[in-house]
Amino acid sequence: MCPDCEDFARTVLLLGQLALYADMDGADLDFVEAVSPSLAVSLPEPPPGTFPSDYDPDGGPNYPGETS
């Protein structure tokens, strides 16, 4: 297993659990807003093979309000 694979998988899992928590009734949204950016920034590079070799992260559709 690659050295960052375990960290990547753990961080993605934590982000998913945080998203589920944020969707619960009574969730502390201030906590979610404080923790989610830190988790997202801490993601290491994706392990090799996660995306196809020709994957272009900038090749998707424009976000609402964004012009091409």
Side-chain angles (χ1 to χ4, degrees):
M1 184 177 231
C2 69
D4 290 333
C5 291
E6 187 177 338
D7 289 340
F8 183 81
R10 184 182 310 118
T11 306
V12 169
L13 177 66
L14 287 170
L15 281 166
Q17 290 175 332
L18 186 63
L20 290 173
Y21 170 72
D23 209 27
M24 291 174 47
D25 288 336
D28 182 352
L29 297 181
D30 289 334
F31 171 78
V32 173
E33 287 183 30
V35 172
S36 55
S38 300
L39 275 176
V41 167
S42 72
L43 274 171
E45 285 292 316
T50 302
F51 298 106
S53 60
D54 61 345
Y55 174 74
D56 178 10
D58 296 323
N62 291 333
Y63 289 98
E66 190 177 78
T67 59
S68 54

Short mmCIF file of all heavy atoms in Angstrom, two decimals:
data_model
loop_
_atom_site.label_atom_id
_atom_site.label_comp_id
_atom_site.label_asym_id
_atom_site.label_seq_id
_atom_site.Cartn_x
_atom_site.Cartn_y
_atom_site.Cartn_z
N MET A 1 0.85 -1.18 0.00
CA MET A 1 0.00 0.00 0.00
C MET A 1 0.89 1.24 0.00
O MET A 1 1.91 1.29 0.68
CB MET A 1 -0.90 -0.05 1.23
CG MET A 1 -1.90 1.06 1.30
SD MET A 1 -3.00 0.89 2.72
CE MET A 1 -4.55 1.04 1.91
N CYS A 2 0.50 2.26 -0.74
CA CYS A 2 1.29 3.48 -0.81
C CYS A 2 1.30 4.19 0.55
O CYS A 2 0.37 4.03 1.34
CB CYS A 2 0.78 4.39 -1.92
SG CYS A 2 -0.83 5.12 -1.59
N PRO A 3 2.31 5.00 0.83
CA PRO A 3 2.42 5.61 2.16
C PRO A 3 1.27 6.55 2.52
O PRO A 3 0.92 6.68 3.68
CB PRO A 3 3.74 6.36 2.12
CG PRO A 3 4.26 6.26 0.74
CD PRO A 3 3.42 5.30 -0.03
N ASP A 4 0.69 7.22 1.54
CA ASP A 4 -0.38 8.19 1.84
C ASP A 4 -1.78 7.60 1.69
O ASP A 4 -2.77 8.28 1.97
CB ASP A 4 -0.27 9.41 0.93
CG ASP A 4 0.95 10.26 1.28
OD1 ASP A 4 1.39 10.23 2.44
OD2 ASP A 4 1.45 10.95 0.38
N CYS A 5 -1.90 6.36 1.26
CA CYS A 5 -3.22 5.77 1.00
C CYS A 5 -4.07 5.71 2.26
O CYS A 5 -5.26 6.04 2.25
CB CYS A 5 -3.09 4.37 0.40
SG CYS A 5 -2.45 4.37 -1.27
N GLU A 6 -3.47 5.30 3.37
CA GLU A 6 -4.22 5.19 4.62
C GLU A 6 -4.68 6.57 5.10
O GLU A 6 -5.82 6.74 5.51
CB GLU A 6 -3.37 4.52 5.68
CG GLU A 6 -4.14 4.21 6.95
CD GLU A 6 -3.28 3.47 7.98
OE1 GLU A 6 -2.28 2.85 7.60
OE2 GLU A 6 -3.65 3.54 9.15
N ASP A 7 -3.80 7.56 5.01
CA ASP A 7 -4.18 8.93 5.42
C ASP A 7 -5.29 9.48 4.54
O ASP A 7 -6.22 10.11 5.02
CB ASP A 7 -2.97 9.87 5.36
CG ASP A 7 -1.95 9.59 6.44
OD1 ASP A 7 -2.31 8.95 7.45
OD2 ASP A 7 -0.79 10.01 6.28
N PHE A 8 -5.18 9.24 3.23
CA PHE A 8 -6.19 9.72 2.30
C PHE A 8 -7.55 9.09 2.62
O PHE A 8 -8.56 9.78 2.75
CB PHE A 8 -5.78 9.40 0.86
CG PHE A 8 -6.73 9.92 -0.18
CD1 PHE A 8 -6.69 11.24 -0.57
CD2 PHE A 8 -7.68 9.08 -0.75
CE1 PHE A 8 -7.57 11.73 -1.54
CE2 PHE A 8 -8.57 9.57 -1.70
CZ PHE A 8 -8.51 10.89 -2.09
N ALA A 9 -7.56 7.77 2.79
CA ALA A 9 -8.81 7.05 3.07
C ALA A 9 -9.41 7.51 4.40
O ALA A 9 -10.62 7.72 4.51
CB ALA A 9 -8.57 5.55 3.08
N ARG A 10 -8.59 7.68 5.42
CA ARG A 10 -9.08 8.12 6.73
C ARG A 10 -9.68 9.53 6.64
O ARG A 10 -10.74 9.80 7.20
CB ARG A 10 -7.95 8.09 7.75
CG ARG A 10 -8.41 8.43 9.16
CD ARG A 10 -7.29 8.46 10.18
NE ARG A 10 -6.46 7.27 10.15
CZ ARG A 10 -5.16 7.27 9.86
NH1 ARG A 10 -4.54 8.40 9.57
NH2 ARG A 10 -4.46 6.16 9.87
N THR A 11 -9.01 10.43 5.93
CA THR A 11 -9.50 11.81 5.82
C THR A 11 -10.80 11.87 5.02
O THR A 11 -11.72 12.59 5.40
CB THR A 11 -8.42 12.71 5.19
OG1 THR A 11 -7.21 12.58 5.94
CG2 THR A 11 -8.86 14.16 5.20
N VAL A 12 -10.89 11.11 3.95
CA VAL A 12 -12.13 11.06 3.17
C VAL A 12 -13.26 10.51 4.03
O VAL A 12 -14.39 11.02 4.00
CB VAL A 12 -11.94 10.24 1.87
CG1 VAL A 12 -13.27 9.95 1.20
CG2 VAL A 12 -11.01 10.97 0.92
N LEU A 13 -12.97 9.48 4.82
CA LEU A 13 -13.98 8.92 5.72
C LEU A 13 -14.44 9.96 6.73
O LEU A 13 -15.65 10.13 6.97
CB LEU A 13 -13.42 7.69 6.45
CG LEU A 13 -14.34 7.05 7.48
CD1 LEU A 13 -15.56 6.44 6.80
CD2 LEU A 13 -13.60 6.00 8.28
N LEU A 14 -13.52 10.70 7.31
CA LEU A 14 -13.89 11.74 8.28
C LEU A 14 -14.73 12.85 7.63
O LEU A 14 -15.69 13.34 8.23
CB LEU A 14 -12.63 12.34 8.92
CG LEU A 14 -11.91 11.46 9.92
CD1 LEU A 14 -10.56 12.06 10.28
CD2 LEU A 14 -12.76 11.24 11.16
N LEU A 15 -14.37 13.23 6.41
CA LEU A 15 -15.18 14.23 5.70
C LEU A 15 -16.59 13.72 5.45
O LEU A 15 -17.57 14.47 5.60
CB LEU A 15 -14.51 14.62 4.38
CG LEU A 15 -13.35 15.60 4.48
CD1 LEU A 15 -12.57 15.64 3.18
CD2 LEU A 15 -13.86 16.98 4.85
N GLY A 16 -16.71 12.46 5.09
CA GLY A 16 -18.03 11.86 4.88
C GLY A 16 -18.84 11.81 6.16
O GLY A 16 -20.03 12.13 6.17
N GLN A 17 -18.20 11.43 7.26
CA GLN A 17 -18.90 11.38 8.54
C GLN A 17 -19.31 12.78 8.98
O GLN A 17 -20.39 12.97 9.55
CB GLN A 17 -18.03 10.71 9.59
CG GLN A 17 -17.87 9.23 9.35
CD GLN A 17 -16.90 8.58 10.32
OE1 GLN A 17 -15.99 9.21 10.83
NE2 GLN A 17 -17.13 7.30 10.57
N LEU A 18 -18.47 13.75 8.72
CA LEU A 18 -18.81 15.13 9.07
C LEU A 18 -20.00 15.62 8.25
O LEU A 18 -20.88 16.31 8.77
CB LEU A 18 -17.60 16.04 8.86
CG LEU A 18 -17.74 17.48 9.32
CD1 LEU A 18 -17.97 17.57 10.82
CD2 LEU A 18 -16.51 18.29 8.93
N ALA A 19 -20.05 15.25 6.98
CA ALA A 19 -21.19 15.63 6.13
C ALA A 19 -22.47 14.98 6.63
O ALA A 19 -23.52 15.63 6.66
CB ALA A 19 -20.92 15.22 4.68
N LEU A 20 -22.40 13.73 7.05
CA LEU A 20 -23.59 13.06 7.60
C LEU A 20 -24.02 13.73 8.89
O LEU A 20 -25.21 13.94 9.13
CB LEU A 20 -23.30 11.58 7.84
CG LEU A 20 -23.15 10.72 6.60
CD1 LEU A 20 -22.69 9.31 6.98
CD2 LEU A 20 -24.45 10.67 5.82
N TYR A 21 -23.06 14.08 9.74
CA TYR A 21 -23.38 14.76 10.99
C TYR A 21 -24.04 16.10 10.71
O TYR A 21 -25.03 16.47 11.36
CB TYR A 21 -22.10 14.96 11.82
CG TYR A 21 -22.29 15.86 13.01
CD1 TYR A 21 -23.01 15.42 14.12
CD2 TYR A 21 -21.79 17.15 13.02
CE1 TYR A 21 -23.21 16.25 15.21
CE2 TYR A 21 -21.99 17.99 14.10
CZ TYR A 21 -22.70 17.54 15.19
OH TYR A 21 -22.91 18.36 16.26
N ALA A 22 -23.52 16.85 9.75
CA ALA A 22 -24.06 18.18 9.43
C ALA A 22 -25.51 18.09 8.97
O ALA A 22 -26.26 19.05 9.13
CB ALA A 22 -23.20 18.85 8.36
N ASP A 23 -25.90 16.95 8.43
CA ASP A 23 -27.26 16.77 7.92
C ASP A 23 -28.24 16.32 9.02
O ASP A 23 -29.43 16.25 8.78
CB ASP A 23 -27.23 15.75 6.78
CG ASP A 23 -28.33 15.98 5.77
OD1 ASP A 23 -28.77 17.13 5.62
OD2 ASP A 23 -28.75 14.99 5.14
N MET A 24 -27.73 16.02 10.21
CA MET A 24 -28.58 15.57 11.31
C MET A 24 -29.29 16.74 11.98
O MET A 24 -28.78 17.86 11.99
CB MET A 24 -27.74 14.86 12.39
CG MET A 24 -27.16 13.55 11.96
SD MET A 24 -26.04 12.83 13.20
CE MET A 24 -26.96 12.98 14.70
N ASP A 25 -30.48 16.46 12.51
CA ASP A 25 -31.17 17.48 13.30
C ASP A 25 -30.35 17.77 14.55
O ASP A 25 -29.85 16.87 15.21
CB ASP A 25 -32.56 16.99 13.72
CG ASP A 25 -33.53 16.93 12.55
OD1 ASP A 25 -33.31 17.67 11.57
OD2 ASP A 25 -34.50 16.16 12.63
N GLY A 26 -30.18 19.04 14.87
CA GLY A 26 -29.47 19.44 16.07
C GLY A 26 -27.95 19.45 15.92
O GLY A 26 -27.24 19.61 16.92
N ALA A 27 -27.45 19.28 14.72
CA ALA A 27 -26.00 19.30 14.52
C ALA A 27 -25.45 20.68 14.82
O ALA A 27 -26.10 21.70 14.57
CB ALA A 27 -25.67 18.91 13.08
N ASP A 28 -24.27 20.72 15.36
CA ASP A 28 -23.59 21.98 15.66
C ASP A 28 -22.90 22.46 14.38
O ASP A 28 -21.80 22.04 14.05
CB ASP A 28 -22.57 21.76 16.77
CG ASP A 28 -21.85 23.03 17.18
OD1 ASP A 28 -22.02 24.07 16.51
OD2 ASP A 28 -21.11 22.98 18.18
N LEU A 29 -23.59 23.32 13.65
CA LEU A 29 -23.07 23.75 12.35
C LEU A 29 -21.86 24.65 12.48
O LEU A 29 -21.05 24.74 11.54
CB LEU A 29 -24.19 24.42 11.54
CG LEU A 29 -25.36 23.49 11.19
CD1 LEU A 29 -26.40 24.22 10.36
CD2 LEU A 29 -24.89 22.23 10.48
N ASP A 30 -21.69 25.32 13.62
CA ASP A 30 -20.47 26.09 13.84
C ASP A 30 -19.26 25.15 13.89
O ASP A 30 -18.20 25.46 13.36
CB ASP A 30 -20.55 26.90 15.13
CG ASP A 30 -21.53 28.06 15.04
OD1 ASP A 30 -21.77 28.54 13.91
OD2 ASP A 30 -22.05 28.47 16.09
N PHE A 31 -19.44 23.99 14.53
CA PHE A 31 -18.38 22.98 14.57
C PHE A 31 -18.06 22.49 13.16
O PHE A 31 -16.90 22.39 12.78
CB PHE A 31 -18.82 21.81 15.46
CG PHE A 31 -17.90 20.62 15.40
CD1 PHE A 31 -16.70 20.62 16.08
CD2 PHE A 31 -18.24 19.50 14.65
CE1 PHE A 31 -15.84 19.53 16.01
CE2 PHE A 31 -17.39 18.41 14.58
CZ PHE A 31 -16.19 18.42 15.27
N VAL A 32 -19.11 22.21 12.39
CA VAL A 32 -18.92 21.71 11.02
C VAL A 32 -18.16 22.74 10.19
O VAL A 32 -17.21 22.41 9.48
CB VAL A 32 -20.27 21.37 10.37
CG1 VAL A 32 -20.10 21.02 8.90
CG2 VAL A 32 -20.95 20.23 11.12
N GLU A 33 -18.54 24.01 10.31
CA GLU A 33 -17.87 25.07 9.55
C GLU A 33 -16.43 25.26 9.99
O GLU A 33 -15.57 25.62 9.19
CB GLU A 33 -18.63 26.39 9.69
CG GLU A 33 -19.92 26.42 8.92
CD GLU A 33 -20.62 27.76 9.02
OE1 GLU A 33 -19.94 28.80 9.17
OE2 GLU A 33 -21.86 27.77 8.95
N ALA A 34 -16.13 25.00 11.26
CA ALA A 34 -14.77 25.16 11.76
C ALA A 34 -13.87 23.99 11.36
O ALA A 34 -12.69 24.18 11.06
CB ALA A 34 -14.78 25.30 13.28
N VAL A 35 -14.42 22.78 11.33
CA VAL A 35 -13.61 21.59 11.12
C VAL A 35 -13.47 21.22 9.64
O VAL A 35 -12.41 20.77 9.20
CB VAL A 35 -14.19 20.40 11.92
CG1 VAL A 35 -13.51 19.10 11.59
CG2 VAL A 35 -14.10 20.69 13.40
N SER A 36 -14.52 21.41 8.85
CA SER A 36 -14.49 20.92 7.47
C SER A 36 -13.36 21.51 6.62
O SER A 36 -12.70 20.76 5.88
CB SER A 36 -15.85 21.09 6.79
OG SER A 36 -16.28 22.41 6.84
N PRO A 37 -13.08 22.82 6.69
CA PRO A 37 -11.97 23.32 5.86
C PRO A 37 -10.63 22.71 6.26
O PRO A 37 -9.80 22.41 5.41
CB PRO A 37 -11.97 24.83 6.12
CG PRO A 37 -13.33 25.15 6.62
CD PRO A 37 -13.79 23.93 7.35
N SER A 38 -10.43 22.50 7.56
CA SER A 38 -9.17 21.91 8.01
C SER A 38 -9.01 20.48 7.50
O SER A 38 -7.92 20.07 7.10
CB SER A 38 -9.11 21.90 9.54
OG SER A 38 -9.19 23.21 10.04
N LEU A 39 -10.09 19.73 7.53
CA LEU A 39 -10.03 18.36 7.02
C LEU A 39 -9.76 18.36 5.52
O LEU A 39 -8.94 17.59 5.03
CB LEU A 39 -11.33 17.62 7.30
CG LEU A 39 -11.47 16.95 8.66
CD1 LEU A 39 -12.86 16.35 8.81
CD2 LEU A 39 -10.41 15.90 8.86
N ALA A 40 -10.45 19.23 4.81
CA ALA A 40 -10.28 19.27 3.34
C ALA A 40 -8.85 19.65 2.96
O ALA A 40 -8.27 19.05 2.06
CB ALA A 40 -11.28 20.24 2.73
N VAL A 41 -8.29 20.60 3.66
CA VAL A 41 -6.92 21.05 3.36
C VAL A 41 -5.90 19.97 3.72
O VAL A 41 -4.85 19.88 3.09
CB VAL A 41 -6.62 22.37 4.11
CG1 VAL A 41 -5.15 22.70 4.10
CG2 VAL A 41 -7.41 23.50 3.51
N SER A 42 -6.23 19.13 4.69
CA SER A 42 -5.27 18.12 5.13
C SER A 42 -5.24 16.89 4.22
O SER A 42 -4.43 15.99 4.44
CB SER A 42 -5.58 17.68 6.57
OG SER A 42 -6.74 16.89 6.62
N LEU A 43 -6.11 16.85 3.21
CA LEU A 43 -6.08 15.70 2.29
C LEU A 43 -4.74 15.62 1.57
O LEU A 43 -4.30 16.60 0.97
CB LEU A 43 -7.18 15.84 1.23
CG LEU A 43 -8.55 15.32 1.56
CD1 LEU A 43 -9.54 15.73 0.49
CD2 LEU A 43 -8.56 13.83 1.74
N PRO A 44 -4.08 14.46 1.66
CA PRO A 44 -2.85 14.31 0.87
C PRO A 44 -3.21 14.11 -0.60
O PRO A 44 -4.38 14.00 -0.95
CB PRO A 44 -2.22 13.04 1.46
CG PRO A 44 -3.36 12.28 2.02
CD PRO A 44 -4.39 13.30 2.45
N GLU A 45 -2.20 14.05 -1.44
CA GLU A 45 -2.43 13.75 -2.86
C GLU A 45 -3.17 12.42 -2.96
O GLU A 45 -2.87 11.49 -2.21
CB GLU A 45 -1.12 13.66 -3.61
CG GLU A 45 -0.47 15.00 -3.88
CD GLU A 45 -1.26 15.83 -4.87
OE1 GLU A 45 -1.72 15.29 -5.90
OE2 GLU A 45 -1.43 17.02 -4.61
N PRO A 46 -4.14 12.30 -3.86
CA PRO A 46 -4.83 11.02 -4.01
C PRO A 46 -3.85 9.91 -4.40
O PRO A 46 -2.88 10.15 -5.13
CB PRO A 46 -5.83 11.26 -5.15
CG PRO A 46 -5.91 12.73 -5.32
CD PRO A 46 -4.64 13.31 -4.79
N PRO A 47 -4.09 8.71 -3.90
CA PRO A 47 -3.21 7.59 -4.26
C PRO A 47 -3.23 7.33 -5.75
O PRO A 47 -4.23 7.62 -6.42
CB PRO A 47 -3.81 6.40 -3.51
CG PRO A 47 -4.70 6.99 -2.46
CD PRO A 47 -5.13 8.33 -2.96
N PRO A 48 -2.15 6.81 -6.30
CA PRO A 48 -2.11 6.49 -7.73
C PRO A 48 -3.27 5.55 -8.10
O PRO A 48 -3.61 4.64 -7.34
CB PRO A 48 -0.77 5.78 -7.91
CG PRO A 48 0.04 6.16 -6.72
CD PRO A 48 -0.92 6.45 -5.62
N GLY A 49 -3.88 5.82 -9.23
CA GLY A 49 -4.98 4.99 -9.70
C GLY A 49 -6.35 5.43 -9.22
O GLY A 49 -7.36 4.85 -9.61
N THR A 50 -6.41 6.47 -8.38
CA THR A 50 -7.70 6.96 -7.90
C THR A 50 -8.49 7.58 -9.05
O THR A 50 -9.70 7.41 -9.14
CB THR A 50 -7.51 8.00 -6.77
OG1 THR A 50 -6.77 7.40 -5.71
CG2 THR A 50 -8.83 8.49 -6.24
N PHE A 51 -7.80 8.31 -9.90
CA PHE A 51 -8.43 8.94 -11.05
C PHE A 51 -7.78 8.40 -12.32
O PHE A 51 -6.61 8.00 -12.31
CB PHE A 51 -8.24 10.46 -11.01
CG PHE A 51 -8.88 11.10 -9.80
CD1 PHE A 51 -8.11 11.56 -8.74
CD2 PHE A 51 -10.25 11.25 -9.72
CE1 PHE A 51 -8.69 12.15 -7.63
CE2 PHE A 51 -10.85 11.82 -8.62
CZ PHE A 51 -10.06 12.28 -7.57
N PRO A 52 -8.50 8.39 -13.46
CA PRO A 52 -7.90 7.94 -14.72
C PRO A 52 -6.71 8.83 -15.10
O PRO A 52 -6.63 9.99 -14.69
CB PRO A 52 -9.02 8.09 -15.74
CG PRO A 52 -10.27 8.33 -14.98
CD PRO A 52 -9.89 8.79 -13.61
N SER A 53 -5.79 8.30 -15.86
CA SER A 53 -4.58 9.05 -16.22
C SER A 53 -4.88 10.31 -17.02
O SER A 53 -4.13 11.27 -16.98
CB SER A 53 -3.62 8.15 -17.00
OG SER A 53 -4.24 7.68 -18.17
N ASP A 54 -5.99 10.33 -17.76
CA ASP A 54 -6.33 11.52 -18.55
C ASP A 54 -7.29 12.46 -17.80
O ASP A 54 -7.84 13.39 -18.39
CB ASP A 54 -6.93 11.11 -19.89
CG ASP A 54 -8.23 10.32 -19.75
OD1 ASP A 54 -8.52 9.83 -18.64
OD2 ASP A 54 -8.95 10.19 -20.76
N TYR A 55 -7.48 12.26 -16.51
CA TYR A 55 -8.40 13.09 -15.71
C TYR A 55 -7.89 14.53 -15.63
O TYR A 55 -6.72 14.76 -15.34
CB TYR A 55 -8.54 12.51 -14.31
CG TYR A 55 -9.36 13.37 -13.37
CD1 TYR A 55 -10.74 13.45 -13.51
CD2 TYR A 55 -8.76 14.11 -12.37
CE1 TYR A 55 -11.50 14.24 -12.67
CE2 TYR A 55 -9.51 14.90 -11.53
CZ TYR A 55 -10.87 14.97 -11.68
OH TYR A 55 -11.62 15.76 -10.84
N ASP A 56 -8.77 15.48 -15.90
CA ASP A 56 -8.44 16.90 -15.82
C ASP A 56 -9.37 17.53 -14.79
O ASP A 56 -10.56 17.70 -15.05
CB ASP A 56 -8.61 17.57 -17.18
CG ASP A 56 -8.32 19.06 -17.16
OD1 ASP A 56 -7.79 19.56 -16.14
OD2 ASP A 56 -8.61 19.73 -18.16
N PRO A 57 -8.85 17.92 -13.61
CA PRO A 57 -9.73 18.48 -12.59
C PRO A 57 -10.37 19.80 -13.00
O PRO A 57 -11.37 20.22 -12.44
CB PRO A 57 -8.82 18.67 -11.38
CG PRO A 57 -7.44 18.66 -11.92
CD PRO A 57 -7.48 17.85 -13.18
N ASP A 58 -9.81 20.46 -14.00
CA ASP A 58 -10.38 21.73 -14.48
C ASP A 58 -11.28 21.52 -15.69
O ASP A 58 -11.76 22.49 -16.28
CB ASP A 58 -9.25 22.70 -14.84
CG ASP A 58 -8.42 23.07 -13.63
OD1 ASP A 58 -8.99 23.20 -12.54
OD2 ASP A 58 -7.19 23.19 -13.79
N GLY A 59 -11.55 20.29 -16.07
CA GLY A 59 -12.29 20.00 -17.29
C GLY A 59 -13.79 19.86 -17.10
O GLY A 59 -14.50 19.55 -18.03
N GLY A 60 -14.29 20.11 -15.91
CA GLY A 60 -15.72 19.95 -15.65
C GLY A 60 -16.53 21.16 -16.06
O GLY A 60 -16.01 22.14 -16.61
N PRO A 61 -17.82 21.14 -15.77
CA PRO A 61 -18.68 22.28 -16.12
C PRO A 61 -18.38 23.47 -15.23
O PRO A 61 -17.77 23.33 -14.17
CB PRO A 61 -20.10 21.73 -15.85
CG PRO A 61 -19.90 20.67 -14.83
CD PRO A 61 -18.55 20.06 -15.12
N ASN A 62 -18.80 24.63 -15.67
CA ASN A 62 -18.64 25.85 -14.88
C ASN A 62 -19.57 25.82 -13.68
O ASN A 62 -20.66 25.26 -13.73
CB ASN A 62 -18.96 27.09 -15.72
CG ASN A 62 -17.93 27.32 -16.79
OD1 ASN A 62 -16.79 26.93 -16.66
ND2 ASN A 62 -18.34 27.94 -17.88
N TYR A 63 -19.13 26.42 -12.60
CA TYR A 63 -19.98 26.59 -11.44
C TYR A 63 -20.98 27.69 -11.72
O TYR A 63 -20.74 28.55 -12.57
CB TYR A 63 -19.14 26.95 -10.20
CG TYR A 63 -18.32 25.81 -9.69
CD1 TYR A 63 -16.98 25.68 -10.02
CD2 TYR A 63 -18.89 24.85 -8.87
CE1 TYR A 63 -16.22 24.63 -9.54
CE2 TYR A 63 -18.15 23.78 -8.38
CZ TYR A 63 -16.81 23.69 -8.72
OH TYR A 63 -16.09 22.65 -8.26
N PRO A 64 -22.13 27.69 -11.03
CA PRO A 64 -23.11 28.75 -11.25
C PRO A 64 -22.47 30.13 -11.05
O PRO A 64 -21.72 30.34 -10.09
CB PRO A 64 -24.17 28.49 -10.18
CG PRO A 64 -24.05 27.03 -9.89
CD PRO A 64 -22.59 26.72 -10.05
N GLY A 65 -22.71 31.02 -11.98
CA GLY A 65 -22.17 32.37 -11.91
C GLY A 65 -20.76 32.49 -12.48
O GLY A 65 -20.22 33.57 -12.57
N GLU A 66 -20.17 31.39 -12.88
CA GLU A 66 -18.82 31.38 -13.44
C GLU A 66 -18.91 31.39 -14.96
O GLU A 66 -19.71 30.69 -15.54
CB GLU A 66 -18.10 30.12 -12.96
CG GLU A 66 -16.62 30.09 -13.26
CD GLU A 66 -16.00 28.84 -12.69
OE1 GLU A 66 -16.16 27.78 -13.33
OE2 GLU A 66 -15.35 28.92 -11.64
N THR A 67 -18.11 32.21 -15.59
CA THR A 67 -18.11 32.25 -17.04
C THR A 67 -16.90 31.49 -17.57
O THR A 67 -15.88 31.38 -16.91
CB THR A 67 -18.07 33.70 -17.56
OG1 THR A 67 -16.90 34.33 -17.07
CG2 THR A 67 -19.30 34.46 -17.13
N SER A 68 -17.03 30.98 -18.78
CA SER A 68 -15.92 30.20 -19.35
C SER A 68 -14.88 31.05 -20.02
O SER A 68 -15.00 32.17 -20.25
CB SER A 68 -16.44 29.18 -20.33
OG SER A 68 -17.25 29.78 -21.31
#
